[in-house]
Amino acid sequence: MNKKPNPIPEHLAGKQPFEAPVGYFDSFPRQMAYRIEGKQELKRSFDFEYLFRPVAITTVLLFMLATAVLTFRNYDGADAEAQHSGETLLSYVEQEGILDEMSEDELLEHVYDENFVLPESEEDSLSNAFTEELAEDDFIDFETYDEL
Amino acid sequence: MQEFSDREILDLFSKEDTRNYAFNMLVRQYQQRLYWHIRKMVIVHDDADDILQNVFIKAYKGLIAFREDSKIYTWLYKIATNECITFLNNKKKRFFLPIVDVEAQLSRHIENDPRMSGDRIQMKLQQAILTLPEKQRLVFNMKYFDEMKYEEMSEILGTSVGALKASYHHAVKKIEEFIRSH
């Protein structure tokens, strides 16, 4: 009895049907080494990013919050008043007749108060107002005062 | 090239200062066998290269926890097989192509591949193999080209030896039929 010939060639068994590019297997281990090193680098930066970025953001937010809280805590109405110009103060003093009501000692106490600083120009006008007030009472002889 | 035993590779890999050296040895030792296995499944060299790299990356990540239930080679072969199947499935999904079209595409690639070794018989054989279902392709390639034992194949594919023999038998019949009719 004739046996049918096997169409699957026996001589091809155990042989690879394809070819790889020349030098592929020589360069592949190096290529893999680069990839692994790259992964390690990536892992490091990944850890850094994911560990430190939230910490950095939180720190900045906390700093901003602390600054805001401290700013509001230190706010004092007196600061706002201190920002008024000397001119406004002077007109207020004149309007209310504070100078008239104050005794000399009280006035001096206010004028030389360290916290009560007026710009030079306003200081002069206040000083004039003061001296004129005194002159009305003939308290000072201006000629003698100037010589001094 | 000096062959390292599994134990030697694992010992070297477990120490941080020799880890990369051990991995390099592992790549050199298994790259060719794995490449051919992958290449026969995906046909295109560039795809085979990508998959082979992924296999070794996965091996690098998993080797530290390797339990030695099997040989390293069997384990690598298993990873490679899974990667090939995933790749082919993704390819079918990505291009919304029916399976036949993907196989036809690969068949055309074989015809035009200048790196295809062998003669027209080889080309015809490859085209016949491409008509097989994935599992039968794997079994036929592993038995016919890689000359692997059924026991080893059973471990890699997670299928009984009997089922593998039957699968190979069906594959041979289909290939014979294809070659006779083409």
Side-chain angles (χ1 to χ4, degrees), chain B residues 123-159:
Chain B
M123 192 188 292
K124 188 79 42 194
L125 178 61
Q126 284 304 315
Q127 285 173 329
I129 293 168
L130 277 174
T131 63
L132 300 174
E134 257 163 34
K135 194 77 180 272
Q136 282 183 18
R137 268 176 74 192
L138 275 168
V139 174
F140 184 84
N141 283 338
M142 288 159 104
K143 187 70 193 156
Y144 183 78
F145 291 110
D146 300 342
E147 298 180 319
M148 203 178 265
K149 287 176 186 160
Y150 281 116
E151 287 73 21
E152 218 173 341
M153 286 163 64
S154 166
E155 208 179 320
I156 292 163
L157 301 173
T159 313

Side-chain angles (χ1 to χ4, degrees), chain B residues 25 38 42 46 58-59 78 81 91 98 124 128 134 140 147 156 159 161 165 168-169 172-175 178:
Chain B
M25 290 303 114
I38 296 165
V42 300
D46 289 342
K58 286 197 173 173
K78 205 184 277 188
T81 304
K91 196 169 184 172
K124 188 79 42 194
E134 257 163 34
F140 184 84
E147 298 180 319
I156 292 163
T159 313
V161 170
K165 284 180 179 175
Y168 182 71
H169 179 75
V172 168
K173 287 279 162 212
K174 284 181 190 171
I175 291 168
F178 181 91

Side-chain angles (χ1 to χ4, degrees), chain A residues 75-93 115-123:
Chain A
Y75 175 78
D76 192 347
D79 285 351
E81 274 176 33
Q83 285 169 12
H84 289 302
S85 70
E87 208 174 279
T88 323
L89 279 176
L90 193 62
S91 65
Y92 174 76
V93 165
N115 296 323
F116 190 74
V117 181
L118 286 173
E120 252 177 79
S121 56
E122 272 82 6
E123 212 168 6

